[in-house]
C-alpha cells in the first residue's frame, strides 16, 4: 500500500470544492526535462495533446497569451476538450464540468479536477505523478500549492510549500492537527495591520467552533450604480486568507458577507474562516 494520500485529501476532509487544483513550479532551466519526465511517466486513461497558441483559460502559465502546452486529458472527455481547443477562441471546456486535466507549460505544472474529477484511477495517477516529480533528481521543485474553488465559488487555500520534502511530508500526513487559534488570531491581526489594509478593514467579533476559527472583518460595503452591493472590498480579503492560511498551515477562506446582527439587510463586512469543520 502506498504511504502517500491522494493530493486532495485535505480538500475532501474539509468538504470543499467543487474543483480541485494543484499547481507547481520548477527551476526555469528544468522546462525541457520537466516535459520529458512527465511524458515518460505512466498516466493510464489520459491522452496527450500538444497545444500551441493563445489559450483563454490556461491551467498554468499566462492565460490568453501565446504559449506551448502539453495537455493530458482524461479519456472520457478528450474529444470534447479537443473540440474547444481547435475552435476560433481556444479554451478548455467540458459541458458536464467533471474532468481531469494535467497541464505542463514551461517550468509549470497544473492539475485540475472538475467537481472532484472523473471516478476511477485518475486521481491515483495524478498523485503518483506528483510524487514522482517530487522525488525526481532531474528537476527541482520550487513551489507547490493545493486550492479548491471554481464554478463561481471563491478559493479555499489549503497548503503551499517551497520544497519537495515539504510536499512529500504533506502527502504522507494521515490526519490534520488541531489548529493553533492564538497563532491564527495573531497572524490575522498582523495581516490586517498592513498599510494597504489598515485603513479599510478591522477585526470584528471572533469565535472558535470545534477546530475552526471564525472572524468578522468589518469594512464598508456600498451599493453601486445598479443598486447592487459592491463586493470588491470583500474579494480583496482573499489575499489575507491566503497569507494567514500559509503561515498557520491550516485551510482558510473568505466566506459570505457579514450582516448587522440588528438588521439583516445591512452588510457590515465579511466572514473569514480558518481550520477544519467538525
Amino acid at each position: 500500500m502506498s504511504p502517500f494520500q491522494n493530493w486532495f485529501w485535505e480538500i475532501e476532509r474539509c468538504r470543499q470544492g467543487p474543483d480541485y487544483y494543484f499547481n507547481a513550479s520548477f527551476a526555469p532551466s528544468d522546462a525541457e526535462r520537466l516535459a520529458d519526465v512527465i511524458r515518460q511517466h505512466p498516466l493510464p486513461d489520459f491522452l496527450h495533446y500538444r497545444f500551441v497558441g493563445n489559450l483563454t483559460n490556461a491551467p498554468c502559465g499566462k492565460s490568453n497569451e501565446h504559449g506551448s502546452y502539453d495537455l493530458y486529458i482524461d479519456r472520457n472527455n478528450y474529444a470534447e476538450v479537443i473540440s474547444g481547443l481547435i475552435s476560433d477562441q481556444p479554451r478548455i471546456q467540458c459541458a458536464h464540468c467533471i474532468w481531469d486535466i494535467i497541464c505542463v507549460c514551461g517550468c509549470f505544472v497544473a492539475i485540475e479536477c472538475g467537481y472532484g474529477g472523473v471516478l476511477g484511477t485518475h486521481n491515483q495517477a495524478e498523485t503518483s505523478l506528483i510524487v514522482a516529480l517530487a522525488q525526481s533528481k532531474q528537476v527541482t521543485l520550487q513551489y507547490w500549492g493545493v486550492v479548491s474553488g471554481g464554478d463561481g465559488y471563491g478559493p479555499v487555500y489549503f497548503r503551499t510549500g517551497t520544497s519537495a520534502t515539504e510536499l512529500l511530508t504533506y502527502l504522507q500526513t494521515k490526519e490534520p492537527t488541531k489548529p493553533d487559534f492564538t497563532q491564527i488570531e495573531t497572524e490575522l491581526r498582523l495581516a490586517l495591520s498592513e498599510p494597504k489594509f489598515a485603513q479599510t478593514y478591522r477585526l470584528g467579533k471572533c469565535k472558535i467552533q470545534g477546530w475552526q476559527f471564525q472572524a468578522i472583518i468589518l469594512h464598508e460595503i456600498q451599493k453601486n450604480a445598479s443598486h447592487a452591493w459592491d463586493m470588491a472590498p470583500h474579494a480583496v480579503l482573499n489575499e489575507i486568507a491566503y497569507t494567514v492560511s500559509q503561515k498557520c498551515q491550516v485551510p482558510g477562506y473568505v466566506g459570505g458577507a457579514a450582516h448587522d446582527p440588528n438588521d439583516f439587510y445591512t452588510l457590515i463586512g465579511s466572514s473569514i474562516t480558518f481550520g477544519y469543520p467538525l
Side-chain angles (χ1 to χ4, degrees):
M1 181 179 293
S2 171
F4 301 105
Q5 296 212 66
N6 276 329
W7 63 266
F8 49 83
W9 70 268
E10 213 171 17
I11 300 178
E12 289 191 327
R13 171 65 176 76
C14 293
R15 301 188 292 277
Q16 292 291 350
D19 302 338
Y20 305 169
Y21 303 98
F22 175 86
N23 295 280
S25 62
F26 296 78
S29 59
D30 288 346
E32 188 173 336
R33 289 190 297 274
L34 178 63
D36 288 339
V37 170
I38 295 176
R39 196 174 298 119
Q40 294 169 17
H41 188 82
L43 291 171
D45 294 323
F46 282 83
L47 297 175
H48 176 251
Y49 183 83
R50 185 168 181 78
F51 176 85
V52 178
N54 286 20
L55 189 54
T56 303
N57 56 345
C60 61
K62 295 183 178 180
S63 295
N64 209 27
E65 289 190 11
H66 191 276
S68 176
Y69 305 89
D70 278 310
L71 299 170
Y72 297 85
I73 305 159
D74 73 83
R75 191 181 299 271
N76 292 341
N77 294 301
Y78 183 82
E80 183 176 354
V81 172
I82 297 305
S83 69
L85 294 174
I86 62 177
S87 65
D88 293 336
Q89 294 184 317
R91 62 181 291 107
I92 294 174
Q93 59 186 19
C94 183
H96 55 73
C97 301
I98 303 175
W99 74 87
D100 290 82
I101 292 179
I102 301 168
C103 180
V104 188
C105 49
C107 58
F108 301 99
V109 175
I111 297 175
E112 290 189 4
C113 298
Y115 278 78
V118 177
L119 298 178
T121 62
H122 298 84
N123 292 324
Q124 295 173 14
E126 294 163 1
T127 301
S128 172
L129 173 63
I130 291 170
V131 171
L133 292 173
Q135 294 177 333
S136 175
K137 303 298 184 183
Q138 301 181 58
V139 293
T140 302
L141 181 63
Q142 294 186 334
Y143 170 86
W144 61 272
V146 177
V147 181
S148 73
D151 202 19
Y153 290 83
V156 180
Y157 305 104
F158 287 90
R159 198 64 59 89
T160 66
T162 57
S163 72
T165 300
E166 291 174 318
L167 176 54
L168 293 172
T169 299
Y170 177 69
L171 294 176
Q172 293 179 84
T173 302
K174 299 305 180 184
E175 291 291 337
T177 57
K178 186 176 182 179
D180 183 334
F181 299 122
T182 300
Q183 182 191 13
I184 291 173
E185 182 173 350
T186 299
E187 293 295 346
L188 182 56
R189 289 185 182 278
L190 284 173
L192 290 168
S193 68
E194 291 188 21
K196 61 181 176 181
F197 299 125
Q199 293 186 351
T200 304
Y201 306 98
R202 59 190 177 89
L203 187 60
K205 182 179 180 181
C206 301
K207 71 175 181 178
I208 296 170
Q209 186 171 349
W211 279 24
Q212 283 190 326
F213 178 95
Q214 302 169 336
I216 302 299
I217 307 299
L218 301 171
H219 60 88
E220 289 188 8
I221 303 180
Q222 305 291 344
K223 287 191 174 182
N224 57 29
S226 302
H227 301 289
W229 294 108
D230 178 8
M231 300 305 291
H234 175 84
V236 170
L237 288 172
N238 281 322
E239 183 179 341
I240 290 177
Y242 174 84
T243 299
V244 176
S245 171
Q246 302 321 304
K247 287 187 175 182
C248 299
Q249 297 290 282
V250 294
Y253 63 93
V254 179
H259 299 261
D260 186 326
N262 299 315
D263 180 6
F264 181 81
Y265 296 101
T266 298
L267 303 184
I268 59 173
S270 307
S271 63
I272 193 167
T273 300
F274 302 95
Y276 301 91
L278 295 176

